Amino acid sequence: MLGIGAKLLRAATIGGSTLSHFRSSQLPLSRFFSNNNNNVNTGFKTNPVALQMINYALSLARTQKSDESYAQAQLILEQCHSTQSDESAKGLVFLAMSTLFSERGNFGEAIEKLQKVQDSGLSSLAVRVAASEALAGLYLESYQDDSSSTAADMCLQLLESIRLEIGGGGSDILETRAKALKGLVELVHGNVESAQSCFEGAQGSKGCFGNVALSFGEFLHCMRNFQMARELYQKAMQDVSESRDFTDSRSLSACNMNLEETLLGATCALGQLEAHAGNFDDAEEILTAALKKAEESFGNYHPKVGIILTCIALMYRHKAAMERSSSLLIQEGLYRRAIEVLKAPPLEVESAGATQSRRDILALVRGGYAETLIVQQNRKAEGENMKHWAETAWTNRRLSLAEALEPSESSTKVAVIDTRISRVL
């Protein structure tokens, strides 16, 4: 494998063959960048062979999904970076490196690569916005909420300073992305009014693509505007599925905000919406498709799989409540499986459990599981103990655990799980 990487390196050094036969036609996720260097929205040109090296490294890592393949991919990317003189090309390599680190759960290294893009200040604006989006996404997933706000604010300030410098409008598409990022951060923080102001005008913008459409849809979903949210989720899914130009300033992305994460997130969000709307057959079909995609992309024991299992369990819970039926055995099986995949700490480890990432997801799954146990007389004490753990671990600022578990048609609040950042909105 490294022999092929060395050939790519030599080609990049001497400007040789484009090596198009190394493009992956099987994995959409591997088409990280294209060779379209004339896109007016990107503002940079990059050695096409460097793009081939990036695509090859990503495909190598994700096809084999082993520690060795990821290490080999990082080595190829390091070699690629060392041959580049253009800062935007180096920025693209850092985005790819950070994505691979984040996929292996190494957020520290991923954040370091993204900060290098920010600190250099020489990469194209599109690359820097993508780095800001990924940086905020990782901070949100790791519960570094203050840092997520800083990253989103810096992105907005960057675009504003450039607008003032050139004396006019910059890229409307990038501005829409930056505002939507801030809106997502504000929504996670429970600041609904601030989030709403960030999404104003987004729907009619050319920048309403992928993550923008998904984040805006989640905001509307949380506000129970199901019809508009559904349209935005479907748009996000269609946009990403049809996207072929990964250097477009709308779709350039990394880490947990990359295109595959966006597609998975929109699919899972749509499934949750259909459950909240009472369309349980559609919800089951969509969530099952999301589960299959997560298992294929990340493996059967990845936390993303546990998160989607949680969504399916909550769908059955809501269905049972709406139809006044019982599905306790199905729910219990799903909750148990989700807890196993999410690697939840023992109930005795209450304080440690409250500081882990995905803690609101764990609180939600254990809170739902607790309710299935409490109604069983011989397991009531176990259920009460689990319920206490869930209530202690719950940290969501917008709604209580009870409100998240019991979506009521009379309530203006509904919980939405964002699989990109592993948070309950």
Side-chain angles (χ1 to χ4, degrees):
M1 291 299 181
L2 287 178
I4 296 174
K7 291 179 182 178
L8 284 168
L9 175 62
R10 287 195 295 273
T13 304
I14 64 175
S17 166
T18 59
L19 299 170
S20 60
H21 57 283
F22 287 115
R23 291 179 181 175
S24 169
S25 59
Q26 300 179 16
L27 299 175
L29 184 59
S30 298
R31 298 194 310 266
F32 194 73
F33 303 115
S34 80
N35 283 333
N36 181 1
N37 290 322
N38 297 315
N39 190 306
V40 296
N41 291 324
T42 61
F44 64 89
K45 293 183 178 181
T46 303
N47 185 327
V49 182
L51 298 179
Q52 291 289 339
M53 291 182 69
I54 293 171
N55 282 330
Y56 174 71
L58 293 170
S59 180
L60 169 65
R62 292 162 172 170
T63 300
Q64 299 185 23
K65 295 183 176 68
S66 66
D67 290 342
E68 181 181 2
S69 68
Y70 272 84
Q72 290 175 340
Q74 290 287 5
L75 179 57
I76 292 170
L77 292 173
E78 288 172 5
Q79 293 172 333
C80 181
H81 183 271
S82 68
T83 67
Q84 300 303 309
S85 59
D86 176 70
E87 290 298 327
S88 287
K90 291 182 178 181
L92 293 178
V93 176
F94 280 140
L95 290 183
M97 286 180 169
S98 67
T99 298
L100 293 184
F101 278 127
S102 71
E103 288 178 5
R104 305 302 279 178
N106 190 341
F107 286 3
E109 291 280 2
I111 288 171
E112 180 184 341
K113 299 302 181 187
L114 294 170
Q115 287 175 334
K116 286 184 177 180
V117 178
Q118 304 282 49
D119 294 342
S120 73
L122 297 176
S123 291
S124 74
L125 189 56
V127 173
R128 294 168 70 185
V129 169
S132 295
E133 187 179 62
L135 200 56
L138 292 182
Y139 283 139
L140 287 173
E141 186 167 355
S142 55
Y143 280 77
Q144 299 181 60
D145 288 355
D146 289 343
S147 295
S148 72
S149 289
T150 300
D153 289 340
M154 288 181 64
C155 188
L156 288 168
Q157 291 167 10
L158 169 65
L159 291 168
E160 178 63 21
S161 64
I162 289 177
R163 183 190 297 109
L164 293 173
E165 183 177 338
I166 65 177
S171 170
D172 293 339
I173 290 174
L174 294 178
E175 289 179 8
T176 300
R177 282 186 66 171
K179 289 178 180 178
L181 174 62
K182 180 63 174 177
L184 175 63
V185 169
E186 291 298 312
L187 185 58
V188 171
H189 294 177
N191 303 325
V192 176
E193 292 183 0
S194 296
Q196 182 175 7
S197 66
C198 295
F199 290 116
E200 289 177 356
Q203 192 165 14
S205 167
K206 292 181 180 179
C208 190
F209 175 99
N211 279 316
V212 174
L214 173 53
S215 297
F216 188 19
E218 288 174 332
F219 168 77
L220 294 171
H221 188 171
C222 288
M223 300 298 105
R224 301 190 72 92
N225 188 339
F226 291 163
Q227 182 55 41
M228 287 185 65
R230 181 184 289 112
E231 292 173 3
L232 284 164
Y233 290 154
Q234 291 170 341
K235 183 181 188 313
M237 294 166 65
Q238 181 177 351
D239 288 343
V240 173
S241 298
E242 295 178 353
S243 180
R244 291 295 180 270
D245 184 5
F246 288 83
T247 49
D248 188 296
S249 58
R250 298 182 306 170
S251 57
L252 183 61
S253 53
C255 299
N256 59 6
M257 306 297 279
N258 70 38
L259 290 173
E260 183 170 75
E261 291 271 19
T262 303
L263 180 58
L264 180 64
T267 305
C268 186
L270 180 60
Q272 294 175 76
L273 184 149
E274 297 299 353
H276 293 149
N279 304 321
F280 297 111
D281 289 343
D282 290 341
E284 183 175 7
E285 181 179 354
I286 295 167
L287 289 172
T288 300
L291 178 64
K292 181 179 179 181
K293 178 63 176 173
E295 290 174 338
E296 290 174 351
S297 299
F298 303 107
N300 294 341
Y301 289 91
H302 194 277
K304 302 282 184 186
V305 172
I307 292 170
I308 298 173
L309 286 168
T310 301
C311 294
I312 296 174
L314 293 173
M315 181 271 292
Y316 276 108
R317 173 188 173 88
H318 189 38
K319 180 181 181 182
M322 291 281 288
E323 297 179 351
R324 298 187 179 182
S325 60
S326 176
S327 59
L328 288 182
L329 289 178
I330 296 175
Q331 289 182 58
E332 182 174 348
L334 288 165
Y335 286 134
R336 287 170 63 90
R337 173 66 176 155
I339 288 171
E340 176 189 4
V341 174
L342 289 168
K343 297 180 175 60
L347 291 177
E348 304 80 50
V349 190
E350 191 167 304
S351 59
T355 60
Q356 286 190 358
S357 61
R358 297 182 292 277
R359 59 176 175 261
D360 278 356
I361 306 289
L362 286 168
L364 198 58
V365 69
R366 274 189 161 158
Y369 189 15
E371 295 297 330
T372 69
L373 298 178
I374 288 172
V375 298
Q376 303 175 52
Q377 190 60 40
N378 62 331
R379 306 186 71 182
K380 185 175 181 179
E382 180 186 357
E384 292 289 357
N385 188 28
M386 189 173 294
K387 181 179 179 181
H388 173 74
W389 188 99
E391 290 174 342
T392 302
W394 183 256
T395 60
N396 190 282
R397 305 173 192 178
R398 190 175 67 87
L399 68 176
S400 67
L401 178 59
E403 289 172 324
L405 287 170
E406 299 289 350
S408 169
E409 293 184 5
S410 60
S411 173
T412 59
K413 298 179 180 180
V414 65
V416 181
I417 296 176
D418 186 324
T419 62
R420 294 172 300 177
I421 57 176
S422 303
R423 298 287 292 264
V424 180
L425 304 178

